[in-house]
Amino acid sequence: MKPILTITKRELTGYFASPVAFVFIVIFLMLSGFFTFMVGGFFERGQASLESFFAWHPWLYLFLVPAVGMRMWSEERRLGTLELLLTMPVTPWQAILGKFFAAWLVVALALGLTFPIWLTVNYLGNPDNGIILAGYLGSFLMGGAYLSITAMTSAMTRNQVVAFIVSVVLSLFLILAGYPPVTNLLTAWASPLLVDAIAAFSVMTHFESIQKGVIDSRDILYFLSVIVFSLFTTGVIVRTHRAG
Amino acid sequence: MIQVRNLKKTFGPKVAVGGVTFKVEKGEVLGFLGPNGAGKSTTMRMITGFIPPTGGEAIIGGFNIVEHPIEAKRLMGYLPENAPSYADMTVAGFLGFAAELRGLSGSAKKKAVDRAVEMCFLENVLHQSVETLSKGYRHRTCFAQSIIHDPEVLILDEPTDGLDPNQKHEVRTLIRKMGQSKAIIFSTHILEEVEAVCSRAIIIDRGVIVANGTPAELKARSPQAGAITLRLSGGEPTGGVKAVRSKIESLSAVEQVNVISDSPLTLRVFARKNNASAELAAALSDLASKERWQITELHAEEGRLDEVFRNITLPDTKSGGKENQ
């Protein structure tokens, strides 16, 4: 447990010593404000809810989360510090979890800093705060899922740009598989069962139901299994492909 | 402390290390020599558990690096090639991180960091970030990391690479000092370093050990080892160089005489038998006093490590003559 904490601490100092964390947080806050109020029609809806806020998160995360996570392993590989880290008395798992948690904390911090928008809806009306909390939980889990995918692609290469692009593409697939315009198109020639099966792989499907306030264990399980699967693959890559 | 048995590593069809076996005990400093790409770094990476071996085993203080990696790694300090470190941390932060990963905390951690900082002369840059440091300081920062927990086993991959001569000297002194109580393996290209620091040296070529012995033993394998260098004082000796040469060649102990320089006349004399340099020296000085030559220098060659190294690692281009100069 302790090595995980030590590595998380080191990673966090790494994020805040470079502009990565600040740039991520500021841009996330600016964009989420812009989309919620200008594009999402927060005021025009006349509803005290954060639906217009959360609806953009899958798209915002698509670019911002890989930007946070792309350095996770590729940087270690490029600088050769991977050799240092893996010859310390830590298991690869401890290193993987420590790094993942640090990046997830950066995402959580950015998400937490959107609290003024929650204050705003509470000032303007009487929203269902349970639904809002569920939305935050869903968003946090979704950020973790994207991040674990980025961890996996980052472990594959020493080039951060490659890690970024591959994880954006993989995440995009996870969005589009359940994105209504795409699923509507698919129903035209595939059986509804198949379309549903594909959509079940999508973050959209699961995020939307959590965001509506329905915390179904299957949705939580979906996000956790994406994280576990991706981190497990990361472990396999890190261990087999060490000397690259 | 370190036991390596038949360690092998292949990358696809390429054999990087083809079965290496050796042992290092406490109090020994083992020099690891070899041309570039001979498999030095790969061997070290397998011993430290960074890459898994294809075959064979490495046992550190009783722990197999593959079966009990954490226990084995605890006993070891490792300085990887090119001395990597986290560029975005300060020196103090980086060493603190290494100490914590080694299980040190609180005052033990502070003490360990202070000790390593003092041993590696890092006081001046303690709060500077690693990316702003010069190469020498970066190198020493990573070196400090490897000794932070005062390990029993130290693996150093080219510890003096990229340092200036003073820093090289400091690092060598440090290694020699630590070698009294630890088992140390270090790799290098610099042959005088081996003579200065190692108690034993291994030469590795194309993945196999081609020589293993003390620096003196290795030097004795040099074709020059045991030859006598003789220098006579100025002025032309009677009969000229040729006469001197033929007189020496007529001695029964002499195999061959090479003239290194004409003025002052310097000759290298090879003995007919091995290990007969004392006998040969006596015969030469007798001859000199009989002929009234003024000897200014007479010494037995120890042999040269670089020659041994070249002869062992380049068998195809080995030159036939005894003199390679």
Side-chain angles (χ1 to χ4, degrees):
Chain A
M1 197 53 213
K2 181 120 191 310
I4 299 181
L5 221 76
T6 306
I7 292 170
T8 303
K9 233 167 60 191
R10 197 224 78 75
E11 287 291 301
L12 280 177
T13 50
Y15 279 118
F16 286 97
S18 67
V20 176
F22 294 110
V23 168
F24 168 73
I25 290 171
V26 168
I27 290 188
F28 176 74
L29 293 177
M30 278 180 7
L31 287 182
S32 62
F34 173 75
F35 281 112
T36 307
F37 294 108
M38 313 305 261
V39 187
F42 177 77
F43 294 115
E44 289 80 353
R45 283 167 184 249
Q47 286 175 347
S49 87
L50 285 186
E51 215 173 300
S52 62
F53 167 65
F54 288 121
W56 295 102
H57 282 196
W59 301 100
L60 280 180
Y61 284 164
L62 176 61
F63 292 100
L64 292 179
V65 168
V68 169
M70 63 187 185
R71 67 199 287 274
M72 211 185 287
W73 290 98
S74 49
E75 180 85 344
E76 297 258 356
R77 218 180 259 293
R78 195 175 62 82
L79 293 178
T81 45
L82 187 64
E83 190 166 355
L84 210 58
L85 186 63
L86 293 181
T87 52
M88 290 280 181
V90 297
T91 62
W93 286 118
Q94 289 167 334
I96 287 165
L97 288 178
K99 282 172 161 290
F100 176 70
F101 287 149
W104 210 4
L105 275 175
V106 173
V107 173
L109 181 66
L111 194 58
L113 286 175
T114 60
F115 70 93
I117 212 163
W118 170 71
L119 293 178
T120 309
V121 278
N122 271 283
Y123 175 73
L124 293 175
N126 287 311
D128 184 339
N129 279 320
I131 293 185
I132 292 179
L133 193 67
Y136 271 110
L137 176 73
S139 181
F140 175 63
L141 286 172
M142 185 171 59
Y146 282 20
L147 203 55
S148 64
I149 289 168
T150 311
M152 180 173 76
T153 58
S154 176
M156 285 192 264
T157 169
R158 63 175 65 217
N159 188 326
Q160 294 193 13
V161 178
V162 172
F164 176 81
I165 291 171
V166 174
S167 45
V168 167
V169 168
L170 288 180
S171 306
L172 186 64
F173 170 78
L174 285 190
I175 291 181
L176 291 183
Y179 186 53
V182 175
T183 48
N184 292 343
L185 205 72
L186 286 178
T187 40
W189 53 269
S191 74
L193 207 67
L194 184 68
V195 175
D196 280 352
I198 293 174
F201 279 106
S202 170
V203 288
M204 279 311 230
T205 325
H206 299 277
F207 179 60
E208 250 157 37
S209 66
I210 294 184
Q211 188 212 322
K212 286 190 183 109
V214 189
I215 299 186
D216 189 329
S217 57
R218 276 176 300 180
D219 296 325
I220 307 264
L221 202 66
Y222 164 78
F223 285 116
L224 292 182
S225 48
V226 171
I227 292 173
V228 170
F229 171 79
S230 304
L231 291 186
F232 179 78
T233 313
T234 308
V236 172
I237 296 168
V238 167
R239 273 186 298 173
T240 54
H241 183 249
R242 276 183 262 214
Chain B
M1 268 329 276
I2 309 172
Q3 264 195 11
V4 174
R5 278 195 218 115
N6 205 18
L7 209 56
K8 276 186 198 142
K9 182 75 198 176
T10 52
F11 295 108
K14 194 183 160 263
V15 179
V17 176
V20 164
T21 304
F22 62 87
K23 237 187 214 179
V24 187
E25 295 300 337
K26 233 176 207 182
E28 265 193 298
V29 180
L30 177 74
F32 223 52
L33 297 170
N36 284 328
K40 298 188 299 281
S41 289
T42 309
T43 307
M44 291 184 145
R45 285 173 165 178
M46 286 192 281
I47 296 172
T48 52
F50 180 56
I51 51 175
T54 316
E57 54 184 8
I59 294 165
I60 318 295
F63 296 107
N64 187 311
I65 188 71
V66 175
E67 284 155 26
H68 303 283
I70 300 294
E71 289 84 350
K73 285 174 188 174
R74 270 202 194 110
L75 297 175
M76 244 186 305
Y78 178 37
L79 172 68
E81 201 178 0
N82 303 326
S85 51
Y86 291 101
D88 50 21
M89 296 182 102
T90 63
V91 172
F94 176 65
L95 294 178
F97 168 66
E100 267 180 55
L101 279 187
R102 297 292 187 180
L104 300 164
S105 59
S107 63
K109 172 183 149 189
K110 197 181 167 298
K111 242 190 191 159
V113 172
D114 289 347
R115 197 184 122 267
V117 164
E118 201 194 308
M119 284 179 97
C120 300
F121 311 100
L122 291 167
E123 291 92 346
N124 298 332
V125 295
L126 205 49
H127 300 290
Q128 240 170 287
S129 87
V130 172
E131 61 198 339
T132 65
L133 298 180
S134 67
K135 192 173 177 188
Y137 271 119
R138 262 187 236 193
H139 210 95
R140 278 188 278 165
T141 304
C142 193
F143 188 59
Q145 161 280 131
S146 70
I147 57 170
I148 197 132
H149 55 306
D150 198 14
E152 292 175 66
V153 174
L154 254 183
I155 315 280
L156 308 168
D157 201 348
E158 299 191 8
T160 56
D161 180 44
L163 301 183
D164 70 34
N166 293 335
Q167 294 166 335
K168 271 186 183 148
H169 179 75
E170 280 162 19
V171 168
R172 277 176 212 165
T173 316
L174 202 60
I175 294 174
R176 205 172 339 151
K177 211 172 89 196
M178 289 189 300
Q180 291 160 6
S181 55
K182 300 180 196 307
I184 300 182
I185 301 181
F186 82 95
S187 72
T188 180
H189 289 300
I190 305 164
L191 294 158
E192 69 249 37
E193 206 152 76
V194 175
E195 303 190 57
V197 178
C198 296
S199 56
R200 206 150 52 84
I202 280 177
I203 300 179
I204 180 168
D205 185 30
R206 288 170 233 174
V208 291
I209 292 177
V210 289
N212 182 354
T214 63
E217 280 167 13
L218 291 182
K219 280 195 294 190
R221 293 173 65 161
S222 160
Q224 267 187 45
I228 303 273
T229 301
L230 177 70
R231 180 171 294 157
L232 303 179
S233 72
E236 187 92 337
T238 39
V241 178
K242 266 198 179 140
V244 172
R245 190 175 171 164
S246 68
K247 275 181 182 141
I248 293 176
E249 271 171 346
S250 67
L251 289 172
S252 64
V254 172
E255 162 84 30
Q256 189 187 338
V257 178
N258 290 343
V259 178
I260 294 175
S261 123
D262 278 346
S263 176
L265 181 59
T266 310
L267 302 156
R268 184 156 297 154
V269 185
F270 293 90
R272 196 174 288 279
K273 287 178 282 184
N274 279 336
N275 303 321
S277 51
E279 200 182 301
L280 180 62
L284 282 173
S285 72
D286 281 352
L287 182 68
S289 62
K290 205 174 85 192
E291 300 286 336
R292 295 177 193 281
W293 295 335
Q294 297 271 322
I295 297 180
T296 52
E297 194 183 326
L298 177 85
H299 73 263
E301 292 290 337
E302 278 195 303
R304 289 177 29 184
L305 218 45
D306 60 341
E307 234 178 40
V308 179
F309 183 84
R310 271 208 312 269
N311 282 339
I312 292 179
T313 57
L314 285 173
D316 308 337
T317 53
K318 192 155 124 191
S319 63
K322 284 199 166 184
E323 200 72 32
N324 281 334
Q325 285 177 337

mmCIF file of all heavy atoms in Angstrom, chain A residues 6 18 33 42 52 55 58 64 75 78 114 123 128 136 157 196 200 221:
data_model
loop_
_atom_site.group_PDB
_atom_site.id
_atom_site.type_symbol
_atom_site.label_atom_id
_atom_site.label_comp_id
_atom_site.label_asym_id
_atom_site.label_seq_id
_atom_site.Cartn_x
_atom_site.Cartn_y
_atom_site.Cartn_z
ATOM 1 N N THR A 6 3.389 6.473 -2.227
ATOM 2 C CA THR A 6 4.614 7.205 -2.570
ATOM 3 C C THR A 6 4.624 7.558 -4.052
ATOM 4 O O THR A 6 4.958 8.681 -4.433
ATOM 5 C CB THR A 6 5.841 6.333 -2.247
ATOM 6 O OG1 THR A 6 5.743 5.912 -0.890
ATOM 7 C CG2 THR A 6 7.122 7.101 -2.434
ATOM 8 N N SER A 18 4.837 20.643 -13.699
ATOM 9 C CA SER A 18 4.726 21.040 -15.099
ATOM 10 C C SER A 18 3.359 21.695 -15.253
ATOM 11 O O SER A 18 2.510 21.590 -14.383
ATOM 12 C CB SER A 18 4.838 19.810 -15.985
ATOM 13 O OG SER A 18 3.718 18.989 -15.773
ATOM 14 N N GLY A 33 -17.899 25.487 -18.846
ATOM 15 C CA GLY A 33 -18.744 26.667 -18.689
ATOM 16 C C GLY A 33 -19.324 27.105 -20.022
ATOM 17 O O GLY A 33 -20.533 27.335 -20.162
ATOM 18 N N PHE A 42 -28.356 26.408 -20.940
ATOM 19 C CA PHE A 42 -28.631 26.213 -19.516
ATOM 20 C C PHE A 42 -29.824 27.067 -19.071
ATOM 21 O O PHE A 42 -30.743 26.585 -18.397
ATOM 22 C CB PHE A 42 -27.376 26.590 -18.730
ATOM 23 C CG PHE A 42 -27.510 26.521 -17.242
ATOM 24 C CD1 PHE A 42 -27.485 25.309 -16.584
ATOM 25 C CD2 PHE A 42 -27.644 27.683 -16.488
ATOM 26 C CE1 PHE A 42 -27.588 25.259 -15.206
ATOM 27 C CE2 PHE A 42 -27.745 27.626 -15.110
ATOM 28 C CZ PHE A 42 -27.718 26.418 -14.474
ATOM 29 N N SER A 52 -27.520 19.930 -18.897
ATOM 30 C CA SER A 52 -26.765 20.563 -19.982
ATOM 31 C C SER A 52 -25.272 20.625 -19.651
ATOM 32 O O SER A 52 -24.457 20.826 -20.531
ATOM 33 C CB SER A 52 -27.314 21.963 -20.249
ATOM 34 O OG SER A 52 -27.147 22.758 -19.098
ATOM 35 N N ALA A 55 -23.993 16.631 -19.994
ATOM 36 C CA ALA A 55 -24.118 16.069 -21.339
ATOM 37 C C ALA A 55 -22.846 16.246 -22.153
ATOM 38 O O ALA A 55 -22.555 15.456 -23.052
ATOM 39 C CB ALA A 55 -25.288 16.726 -22.057
ATOM 40 N N PRO A 58 -18.727 13.545 -21.810
ATOM 41 C CA PRO A 58 -18.058 12.508 -22.628
ATOM 42 C C PRO A 58 -17.202 13.126 -23.721
ATOM 43 O O PRO A 58 -16.139 12.589 -24.057
ATOM 44 C CB PRO A 58 -19.231 11.729 -23.225
ATOM 45 C CG PRO A 58 -20.363 11.967 -22.297
ATOM 46 C CD PRO A 58 -20.168 13.349 -21.745
ATOM 47 N N LEU A 64 -9.464 15.873 -23.341
ATOM 48 C CA LEU A 64 -8.698 16.372 -22.194
ATOM 49 C C LEU A 64 -8.084 15.252 -21.352
ATOM 50 O O LEU A 64 -6.960 15.378 -20.881
ATOM 51 C CB LEU A 64 -9.587 17.267 -21.329
ATOM 52 C CG LEU A 64 -9.971 18.583 -22.016
ATOM 53 C CD1 LEU A 64 -10.879 19.410 -21.128
ATOM 54 C CD2 LEU A 64 -8.727 19.374 -22.377
ATOM 55 N N GLU A 75 6.478 8.748 -20.974
ATOM 56 C CA GLU A 75 7.532 9.633 -20.481
ATOM 57 C C GLU A 75 8.601 8.826 -19.725
ATOM 58 O O GLU A 75 9.797 9.041 -19.886
ATOM 59 C CB GLU A 75 6.893 10.678 -19.554
ATOM 60 C CG GLU A 75 7.849 11.663 -18.974
ATOM 61 C CD GLU A 75 8.119 12.846 -19.892
ATOM 62 O OE1 GLU A 75 7.800 12.745 -21.090
ATOM 63 O OE2 GLU A 75 8.649 13.841 -19.404
ATOM 64 N N ARG A 78 10.647 7.054 -22.256
ATOM 65 C CA ARG A 78 11.512 7.942 -23.028
ATOM 66 C C ARG A 78 12.713 8.379 -22.186
ATOM 67 O O ARG A 78 13.845 8.406 -22.654
ATOM 68 C CB ARG A 78 10.717 9.165 -23.488
ATOM 69 C CG ARG A 78 11.382 9.993 -24.576
ATOM 70 C CD ARG A 78 10.450 11.090 -25.042
ATOM 71 N NE ARG A 78 10.124 12.019 -23.983
ATOM 72 C CZ ARG A 78 10.920 13.024 -23.619
ATOM 73 N NH1 ARG A 78 12.042 13.236 -24.234
ATOM 74 N NH2 ARG A 78 10.559 13.828 -22.639
ATOM 75 N N THR A 114 -15.790 22.484 -10.417
ATOM 76 C CA THR A 114 -16.969 23.006 -11.117
ATOM 77 C C THR A 114 -18.089 23.291 -10.128
ATOM 78 O O THR A 114 -19.212 23.571 -10.539
ATOM 79 C CB THR A 114 -17.485 21.993 -12.157
ATOM 80 O OG1 THR A 114 -17.830 20.781 -11.469
ATOM 81 C CG2 THR A 114 -16.452 21.687 -13.222
ATOM 82 N N TYR A 123 -29.008 28.199 -6.347
ATOM 83 C CA TYR A 123 -29.424 29.582 -6.098
ATOM 84 C C TYR A 123 -30.647 29.927 -6.942
ATOM 85 O O TYR A 123 -31.573 30.573 -6.483
ATOM 86 C CB TYR A 123 -28.245 30.505 -6.431
ATOM 87 C CG TYR A 123 -28.556 31.963 -6.329
ATOM 88 C CD1 TYR A 123 -28.712 32.586 -5.077
ATOM 89 C CD2 TYR A 123 -28.722 32.749 -7.481
ATOM 90 C CE1 TYR A 123 -28.993 33.935 -4.986
ATOM 91 C CE2 TYR A 123 -29.007 34.093 -7.394
ATOM 92 C CZ TYR A 123 -29.146 34.692 -6.137
ATOM 93 O OH TYR A 123 -29.430 36.021 -6.065
ATOM 94 N N ASP A 128 -32.807 18.623 -7.975
ATOM 95 C CA ASP A 128 -32.678 17.376 -7.210
ATOM 96 C C ASP A 128 -31.186 17.106 -7.020
ATOM 97 O O ASP A 128 -30.488 16.703 -7.953
ATOM 98 C CB ASP A 128 -33.339 16.235 -7.988
ATOM 99 C CG ASP A 128 -33.317 14.942 -7.182
ATOM 100 O OD1 ASP A 128 -32.471 14.836 -6.261
ATOM 101 O OD2 ASP A 128 -34.127 14.054 -7.488
ATOM 102 N N TYR A 136 -22.177 13.630 -10.932
ATOM 103 C CA TYR A 136 -20.754 13.781 -10.607
ATOM 104 C C TYR A 136 -20.064 12.429 -10.491
ATOM 105 O O TYR A 136 -18.949 12.222 -10.975
ATOM 106 C CB TYR A 136 -20.583 14.577 -9.306
ATOM 107 C CG TYR A 136 -20.490 16.072 -9.547
ATOM 108 C CD1 TYR A 136 -21.518 16.924 -9.175
ATOM 109 C CD2 TYR A 136 -19.364 16.613 -10.154
ATOM 110 C CE1 TYR A 136 -21.439 18.290 -9.408
ATOM 111 C CE2 TYR A 136 -19.277 17.982 -10.387
ATOM 112 C CZ TYR A 136 -20.318 18.814 -10.013
ATOM 113 O OH TYR A 136 -20.215 20.146 -10.251
ATOM 114 N N THR A 157 3.979 2.871 -25.952
ATOM 115 C CA THR A 157 4.884 3.659 -26.779
ATOM 116 C C THR A 157 5.680 4.643 -25.934
ATOM 117 O O THR A 157 5.273 5.003 -24.836
ATOM 118 C CB THR A 157 4.091 4.446 -27.846
ATOM 119 O OG1 THR A 157 4.949 5.385 -28.474
ATOM 120 C CG2 THR A 157 2.925 5.190 -27.235
ATOM 121 N N ASP A 196 -28.058 -3.123 -29.629
ATOM 122 C CA ASP A 196 -28.046 -2.971 -28.171
ATOM 123 C C ASP A 196 -26.779 -3.541 -27.566
ATOM 124 O O ASP A 196 -26.203 -2.980 -26.624
ATOM 125 C CB ASP A 196 -29.262 -3.687 -27.546
ATOM 126 C CG ASP A 196 -30.507 -2.819 -27.671
ATOM 127 O OD1 ASP A 196 -30.349 -1.647 -28.085
ATOM 128 O OD2 ASP A 196 -31.605 -3.307 -27.368
ATOM 129 N N ALA A 200 -24.048 -1.463 -25.514
ATOM 130 C CA ALA A 200 -23.740 -1.795 -24.125
ATOM 131 C C ALA A 200 -22.265 -1.571 -23.814
ATOM 132 O O ALA A 200 -21.873 -1.458 -22.665
ATOM 133 C CB ALA A 200 -24.122 -3.247 -23.832
ATOM 134 N N LEU A 221 -20.540 -1.149 -12.521
ATOM 135 C CA LEU A 221 -19.713 -2.304 -12.856
ATOM 136 C C LEU A 221 -19.076 -2.140 -14.230
ATOM 137 O O LEU A 221 -17.923 -2.510 -14.447
ATOM 138 C CB LEU A 221 -20.604 -3.559 -12.847
ATOM 139 C CG LEU A 221 -19.857 -4.870 -12.648
ATOM 140 C CD1 LEU A 221 -19.245 -4.900 -11.259
ATOM 141 C CD2 LEU A 221 -20.797 -6.046 -12.850
#
